[in-house]
Amino acid sequence: MNGVTASAGPDGAGAPRRRGRPPAPESAGTRDRILDAAREQFSARGYEKTSVRGIAKAAGVDSALVHHYFGTKERLFEAAVEVAFGPVLDQRDSVLEGPPDEVGERMTRMIIGLWENPVTRAPLLAIVRSAVNNDAAAAVFRRLVAGQLLRRIAGQLDRPDAELRAELAAAQLVGIAMIRYVIRVEPLASADPEDIVRRVAPVVQGHLTGP
């Protein structure tokens, strides 16, 4: 149909509308709709099984628009991950507030709390599963976690090996998340979250500020 589709509406039923870049007032809503569809598709299907065509179909747009706004599938995944990872980034500063000898508990409580919340757990599961199974998704995950979370925490640690300390603390918590929420190994999968925080926080604290 030469890139032209019909749009129905009270003011112009059957009026032709071209595929591709929408008019300016429509742009923000279209981009958000694509991003919402991408987040849902990646969460449900993972990186490998999600296609740009499938995202476009779920968003009700032509796939050319997806490429227009985001370029590649990897960049779209990164944008979707940033939205899904938003609660982590929003709370990162709270981890750094308060006494330094309690930063391990604050960090542990933040991460476990996000995994315990069903709203934030689903996209986090999709991110971790995609990062494990796909190199491109893993690269996005590394950039986001290292660049926006761990370096921020490391920058507040008065230690010469601060980045390594922050990474070790994160590895401790990611490992627990994998076993508890992804692989679901018992008895950790059913353990009380407060018990996990109580046992793990001192270890995380040791990574961050210990000798």
Side-chain angles (χ1 to χ4, degrees):
M1 294 182 64
N2 298 322
V4 177
T5 58
S7 61
D11 299 323
R17 185 174 69 185
R18 291 192 174 276
R19 293 173 179 170
R21 187 170 185 174
E26 186 183 338
S27 298
T30 302
R31 187 184 188 281
D32 290 344
R33 195 162 70 251
I34 294 170
L35 194 54
D36 288 343
R39 189 169 63 251
E40 292 175 2
Q41 291 284 307
F42 284 127
S43 294
R45 301 170 60 83
Y47 186 89
E48 288 282 1
K49 295 182 179 180
T50 297
S51 67
V52 170
R53 186 182 297 273
I55 292 170
K57 182 178 180 180
V61 301
D62 188 85
S63 58
L65 272 179
V66 179
H67 291 293
H68 166 72
Y69 284 114
F70 298 98
T72 64
K73 176 180 170 181
E74 181 178 344
R75 289 186 178 180
L76 178 55
F77 178 75
E78 185 166 9
V81 167
E82 286 182 351
V83 173
F85 210 66
V88 178
L89 302 180
D90 290 342
Q91 295 184 39
R92 63 188 172 186
D93 289 339
S94 65
V95 171
L96 302 173
E97 296 173 354
D101 59 352
E102 296 176 4
V103 64
E105 179 178 350
R106 293 194 299 272
M107 185 174 181
T108 302
R109 192 172 294 281
M110 178 192 73
I111 298 299
I112 296 298
L114 290 168
W115 279 99
E116 285 295 309
N117 185 338
V119 175
T120 49
R121 184 191 309 149
L124 285 173
L125 279 170
I127 293 168
V128 171
R129 287 170 176 160
S130 296
V132 168
N133 295 321
N134 182 271
D135 289 342
V140 169
F141 186 65
R142 282 195 301 271
R143 286 199 301 270
L144 186 64
V145 173
Q148 298 195 39
L149 182 64
L150 297 185
R151 285 176 189 163
R152 184 71 171 270
I153 293 174
Q156 301 298 314
L157 299 177
D158 187 20
R159 297 289 189 279
D161 52 352
E163 287 195 17
L164 176 60
R165 288 173 174 271
E167 289 175 5
L168 287 171
Q172 186 84 40
L173 294 171
V174 170
I176 289 170
M178 286 288 294
I179 295 174
R180 177 175 170 85
Y181 303 100
V182 181
I183 306 174
R184 297 195 58 80
V185 176
E186 296 291 355
L188 181 58
S190 299
D192 185 281
E194 284 298 321
D195 191 33
I196 295 174
V197 172
R198 179 177 60 83
R199 291 171 179 266
V200 175
V203 181
V204 174
Q205 184 72 44
H207 287 313
L208 294 173
T209 63

